[in-house]
Each structure stands twice: as structure tokens, then as C-alpha cells.
């Protein structure tokens, strides 16, 4: 019973969230040329990385263009970190399921 709970919470649930995010943000990373995997990685990883980013850059005393650029940089960094976190969570869940 414990293996099933670990499998569902640590493997199936993050993969399901990633699939839903990939479906929602499909227009962001798919174009006429094909799939841009960097944008897919950022779009899927953002919710997993925003909690792990540590220090979010806060734009103080900047104009609108700089503020938008800084927030966009925050989103990109969180997405890149989150992609790694997602892969790590799934691998850790599979290992824990095999060990338990």
C-alpha cells in the first residue's frame, strides 16, 4: 500500500501536472518550425522552480521596460530550475518506490 501512495504522490502527480502545463502552454513552445524544447522546459518547470528560486529579483526604481525585463528573467530562471526539480522529483520518487 505504501508503494502505491509513493508512486501516486511522487511520480504520477508531478508528471500529470507537467502534462497539463504542456497542454495549456502549447502555443508558447510550438510554432510552424516545430517544437522549441527550451520554451517547453521553461513552461513546464516554472511552477516547480518558483518555490526553489531563493531570491527573486525585485525591480526598484526602474522604468516599465526594465521592470518587465526583470520579471521575465525571473520567470526564465524559475523555469530552468523547475525543469531540473521536476526531473529530480520523478527520479527520486521512482527510487523511493523501488526501495520501499
Amino acid at each position: 500500500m505504501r508503494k502505491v501512495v509513493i508512486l501516486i504522490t511522487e511520480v504520477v502527480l508531478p508528471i500529470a501536472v507537467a502534462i497539463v502545463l504542456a497542454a495549456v502552454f502549447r502555443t508558447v513552445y510550438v510554432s510552424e518550425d516545430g517544437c522549441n524544447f527550451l520554451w517547453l522546459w521553461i513552461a513546464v518547470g516554472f511552477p516547480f522552480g518558483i518555490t526553489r528560486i531563493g531570491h527573486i529579483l525585485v525591480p526598484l526604481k526602474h522604468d516599465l521596460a526594465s521592470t518587465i525585463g526583470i520579471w521575465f528573467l525571473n520567470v526564465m530562471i524559475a523555469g530552468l530550475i523547475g525543469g531540473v526539480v521536476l526531473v529530480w522529483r520523478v527520479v527520486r520518487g521512482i527510487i523511493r518506490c523501488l526501495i520501499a
Side-chain angles (χ1 to χ4, degrees), residues 3-45:
K3 285 186 178 185
V4 174
V5 171
I6 291 173
L7 182 70
I8 290 173
T9 58
E10 295 188 12
V11 178
V12 175
L13 190 62
I15 291 174
V17 169
I19 290 171
V20 168
L21 287 170
V24 168
F25 292 114
R26 189 171 200 277
T27 58
V28 172
Y29 62 86
V30 174
S31 65
E32 295 172 356
D33 299 333
C35 181
N36 187 343
F37 291 104
L38 177 65
W39 285 109
L40 173 64
W41 186 269
I42 291 171
V44 169

Side-chain angles (χ1 to χ4, degrees), residues 44-72:
V44 169
F46 176 74
F48 297 99
I50 196 67
T51 58
R52 303 279 196 264
I53 194 170
H55 299 287
I56 294 178
L57 301 172
V58 179
L60 298 174
K61 298 181 183 176
H62 290 282
D63 59 341
L64 182 63
S66 298
T67 302
I68 292 171
I70 291 171
W71 284 112
F72 184 72

